[in-house]
Amino acid sequence: MNNIVTMKWLLARLYEPDLVIVDCRFALGKPESGRAAYEESHIPRAVYLDLEKDLSSPITQHGGRHPLPDLDQLAQRLGQSGIQESSRVVIYDDQGGAMASRLWWLLKYTGHEQAYVMDEGFTAWKNASFPVTGEQPIIIPVPYEINLKPDKLVLVDEVREASQHGNKTLIDSRDPLRYAGAQEPLDAKAGHIPGAVNYFWKGVLDDSGHWKDAGELREHFTDIPQDADIIVYCGSGVTACPNVLALEEAGYGNVKLYAGSWSDWISYEENPVATGDE
């Protein structure tokens, strides 16, 4: 696995100086709960980054429910967390990797090579009787240099084109009921982008909550040609990120995130909506 590390891998390297550990626990609808959980107990040396305060911008008319953060502010926040070019960054959450993958993607998008998501999550770490602490680390701020990789991101125009012409593979990462438009707990319209296929993001995990290995992920995505141009979206550009990571693990070389996702798509009145199972 290129982007996933095990809990034992992290435990063995916990105090290596070039390692930065980031706690990204977050619960949608309970925005303060992640930081509260961090302050109570976390992996030693871990810093906390908040999905909405640190890894997203404020909501505007377009851009979805979790717009990408302002890059200057993100660079400042990453630098304040002790992340620099030489850092190995290991990220964890307690949400199956959904929040951790968002930071993983942002690091890759801004040109940081050594970013990894920890398999399982904080509860599994604690249950394994690995060390935890309530103490917050003292961080010396460092400069975080952005070396943007714009080919990792698509905006709404490119998604419209892919939807109309079918020249790219559109992957919807949401629960099948939301994809089909049978229910929509979060957004103003139900359904999916016409032409998209549904791969619920939790399908990249096995029954015990571990990430599937590269072979299992290739099997999971077997209907998608290896040379396909792939655009991945979800509701707001968060749970699409585990699918992006999993596709990379499975050997797909051209995978992009539609960061605005469904909540951005429906912010344009003229964008068509499909329902049911295509």
Side-chain angles (χ1 to χ4, degrees), residues 15-36:
Y15 294 100
E16 291 181 3
D18 67 327
L19 198 70
V20 178
I21 305 163
V22 185
D23 184 320
C24 280
R25 283 177 286 172
F26 189 89
L28 290 171
K30 291 187 281 185
E32 301 307 319
S33 64
R35 179 168 276 285

Side-chain angles (χ1 to χ4, degrees), residues 61-62 64-65 156 174 184 186-193 235 258 260-273:
Q61 184 185 356
H62 301 301
R65 280 183 284 109
V156 68
R174 296 170 304 157
E184 184 44 70
L186 295 166
D187 291 309
K189 288 182 186 174
H192 59 267
I193 299 172
Y258 173 27
S261 285
W262 179 247
S263 50
D264 176 62
W265 180 260
I266 59 170
S267 72
Y268 298 90
E269 276 301 317
E270 68 276 18
N271 280 351
V273 165

Side-chain angles (χ1 to χ4, degrees), residues 179-209:
Y179 167 81
Q183 63 180 51
E184 184 44 70
L186 295 166
D187 291 309
K189 288 182 186 174
H192 59 267
I193 299 172
V197 292
N198 186 212
Y199 281 86
F200 185 31
W201 73 272
K202 286 187 177 173
V204 306
L205 306 173
D206 67 18
D207 293 339
S208 61

Side-chain angles (χ1 to χ4, degrees), residues 5 7 24 32 44 57 114 118 125 153 182 236-237 246 255 268 272:
V5 296
M7 297 194 304
C24 280
E32 301 307 319
S57 297
Q114 300 189 82
M118 185 184 84
W125 176 276
L153 177 71
S236 67
V255 184
Y268 298 90

Side-chain angles (χ1 to χ4, degrees), residues 18-143:
D18 67 327
L19 198 70
V20 178
I21 305 163
V22 185
D23 184 320
C24 280
R25 283 177 286 172
F26 189 89
L28 290 171
K30 291 187 281 185
E32 301 307 319
S33 64
R35 179 168 276 285
Y38 167 80
E39 286 174 358
E40 185 185 312
S41 174
H42 52 262
I43 295 176
R45 294 183 63 212
V47 295
Y48 183 74
L49 288 174
D50 183 285
L51 171 67
E52 291 184 348
K53 291 184 180 130
D54 302 315
L55 309 181
S56 308
S57 297
I59 295 173
T60 55
Q61 184 185 356
H62 301 301
R65 280 183 284 109
H66 291 108
L68 288 184
D70 174 84
L71 290 176
D72 291 338
Q73 287 176 338
L74 178 67
Q76 187 182 8
R77 199 66 199 85
L78 295 173
Q80 287 168 346
S81 303
I83 300 170
Q84 58 191 347
E85 198 177 350
S86 58
S87 305
R88 287 178 297 165
V89 184
V90 175
I91 315 152
Y92 70 89
D93 59 26
D94 231 355
Q95 284 73 36
M99 311 299 157
S101 296
R102 165 82 165 208
L103 176 55
W104 169 87
W105 184 86
L106 282 167
L107 287 166
K108 293 287 187 177
Y109 175 56
T110 54
H112 192 82
E113 288 303 316
Q114 300 189 82
Y116 309 93
V117 171
M118 185 184 84
D119 195 15
E120 300 178 271
F122 182 73
T123 297
W125 176 276
K126 206 170 162 182
N127 290 345
S129 300
F130 291 171
V132 297
T133 183
E135 284 180 32
Q136 299 200 25
I138 294 161
I139 305 294
I140 297 160
V142 291

